[in-house]
Amino acid sequence: MTSGLQGITPYIFGTTRLGDPKIPRPERLKAARAAMDEGVWFHTSHTYGEALDVLAEAFSAEPVKIPKLIIKIGWETIGQLRQVIEQNLEPLGLPGMQLGQLCLGGELAEDYARGGDCYRVFRQVKEEGLVNGFVVEAFPWTSNQSVRALRGGYTEGIIDGFIFYLNPLQRFASNELWDVIIAREQPILALRTVSGGPVHSLRDVPGFAWKDYLQKRAVEVAPIFERSGIKSWTEFCMRFAHSFPLVQATIGSTSKTDNLDEFLEAAKAIVPLPEDIVSEIGILQSRWSDEVDIHAEKWSM
Ligand SMILES: NC(=O)c1ccc[n+]([C@@H]2O[C@H](COP(=O)([O-])OP(=O)(O)OC[C@H]3O[C@@H](n4cnc5c(N)ncnc54)[C@H](OP(=O)(O)O)[C@@H]3O)[C@@H](O)[C@H]2O)c1
């Protein structure tokens, strides 16, 4: 395994819920500190509301437990990359991060796809110790740039893997990128462990799924989950992500220590799901990708 992913924890604590001001701050701090106690890696971004502020408070209370961080960086130009790194590290008071999650758009995405100058800057940023490694974010509408970069061989030796929604209801690498990632054995970080919440709530509670398509997918996946006989949706999802040998970790968020305990329990001795279940969901995901995902407006799903 490449250096940036060395020591990665199979469950990574996502921090969107830490950023939500509607949740009492002491509750969010408690969840953050409980996750720090467990030594799991964290995933964050300055775009997640108050998340960095809550993390800064938790880190300063117990600096020896500061976790390895995956942080979203980008976006559209090479110059912006350093600014965004600073925007995240400065509030946390940290000299560097474990993994920079490259969120690439505009001219920076095009440069990445054609093997341009950005790779020199990626290397510099790494040599300076601002990041220990990189993963590239993929969405259906950005998958093609990674297909081009991988086929060109440009990512070798500098990009440690790819990060995208991969859970029972979403596989946000296009089918073409998914096939290239599998063929080239690229490490994967799977986002949104439980697809946003329990599958029955996503299916049955009006407004629980933030988009209609997720409610429809929950209708298709709930019977597969029920048939598996697994009681906990969190366990089912943890096992789903880790049924793919290239998956190194799955990233899920919570503001509640009980739900954190469920993630941690599920991550203790992960057994892949039975093959027939994985392939049944895989067939759905391949269809959803072609019929829905790759036609979607950017950022609409
Ligand atoms: N492009 C990107 O980089 C990107 C995009 C999306 C997400 N992410 C990362 O991935 C992380 C996870 O994504 P996510 O929050 O969208 O999806 P998620 O982890 O699948 O779902 C989180 C939601 O599920 C609830 N939940 C968690 N465990 C539960 C349980 N046992 N029972 C009932 N509800 C439970 C949480 O609420 P409670 O707080 O009430 O537990 C929260 O509302 C984010 O925090 C972020 O770090 C990255």
Side-chain angles (χ1 to χ4, degrees):
M1 195 183 289
T2 45
S3 61
L5 300 177
Q6 206 72 49
I8 196 166
T9 53
Y11 163 67
I12 293 175
F13 181 68
T15 58
T16 40
R17 301 289 283 154
L18 298 187
D20 185 346
K22 292 194 289 294
I23 304 166
R25 189 175 169 108
E27 209 174 296
R28 290 179 275 149
L29 258 175
K30 192 171 158 207
R33 294 195 57 179
M36 284 164 66
D37 284 342
E38 296 297 325
V40 296
W41 289 23
F42 281 32
H43 176 280
T44 197
S45 164
H46 73 283
T47 61
Y48 292 168
E50 297 176 357
L52 291 192
D53 199 45
V54 170
L55 287 178
E57 186 175 342
F59 293 176
S60 67
E62 247 174 329
V64 291
K65 291 186 180 165
I66 293 174
K68 302 271 195 209
L69 293 174
I70 304 172
I71 301 182
K72 291 171 71 164
I73 59 175
W75 320 117
E76 305 221 320
T77 63
I78 288 177
Q80 246 181 333
L81 189 71
R82 282 182 184 276
Q83 284 168 21
V84 178
I85 290 173
E86 196 46 36
Q87 257 177 304
N88 283 277
L89 292 179
E90 199 269 331
L92 296 172
L94 297 176
M97 66 188 79
Q98 183 63 23
L99 287 174
Q101 169 179 325
L102 292 165
C103 308
L104 305 172
E107 66 184 63
L108 185 52
E110 181 50 33
D111 196 61
Y112 158 74
R114 63 159 184 261
D117 217 26
C118 64
Y119 290 90
R120 186 178 49 76
V121 180
F122 297 162
R123 287 194 166 83
Q124 277 172 1
V125 164
K126 193 171 164 180
E127 277 159 22
E128 290 166 28
L130 292 169
V131 304
N132 282 342
F134 293 104
V135 287
V136 176
E137 176 188 85
F139 277 95
W141 45 89
T142 64
S143 286
N144 186 253
Q145 61 210 38
S146 282
V147 170
R148 289 169 60 199
L150 278 165
R151 290 208 172 121
Y154 311 129
T155 63
E156 278 167 34
I158 185 68
I159 302 300
D160 296 290
F162 291 82
I163 182 165
F164 49 88
Y165 292 14
L166 176 59
N167 56 61
L169 305 189
Q170 295 166 309
R171 185 175 83 196
F172 270 10
S174 67
N175 286 331
E176 188 181 18
L177 177 58
W178 178 255
D179 290 344
V180 175
I181 284 174
I182 303 286
R184 292 174 186 252
E185 300 184 345
Q186 297 297 301
I188 297 169
L189 307 192
L191 284 166
R192 311 195 73 226
T193 308
V194 292
S195 320
V199 68
H200 294 121
S201 305
L202 289 163
R203 184 189 65 183
D204 301 335
V205 180
F208 191 91
W210 82 288
K211 294 277 174 174
D212 249 17
Y213 82 93
L214 282 169
Q215 189 275 337
K216 292 192 182 113
R217 290 182 188 185
V219 170
E220 293 191 84
V221 169
I224 304 175
F225 166 55
E226 286 156 12
R227 216 180 57 233
S228 76
I230 297 168
K231 294 280 174 303
S232 146
W233 174 242
T234 303
E235 178 191 331
F236 182 86
C237 292
M238 184 72 66
R239 291 174 61 181
F240 174 76
H242 283 279
S243 295
F244 303 94
L246 293 170
V247 167
Q248 311 296 312
T250 169
I251 298 147
S253 186
T254 180
S255 54
K256 299 191 174 73
T257 48
D258 284 356
N259 291 345
L260 176 65
D261 287 344
E262 266 207 60
F263 280 126
L264 295 166
E265 183 59 33
K268 266 188 192 152
I270 307 166
V271 179
L273 290 177
E275 262 173 47
D276 61 315
I277 290 186
V278 179
S279 68
E280 198 174 342
I281 297 176
I283 290 165
L284 291 175
Q285 298 202 314
S286 177
R287 191 188 87 214
W288 295 332
S289 181
D290 280 341
E291 289 181 356
V292 181
D293 302 1
I294 57 164
H295 306 290
E297 284 289 313
K298 281 183 183 181
W299 315 115
S300 67
M301 59 188 298

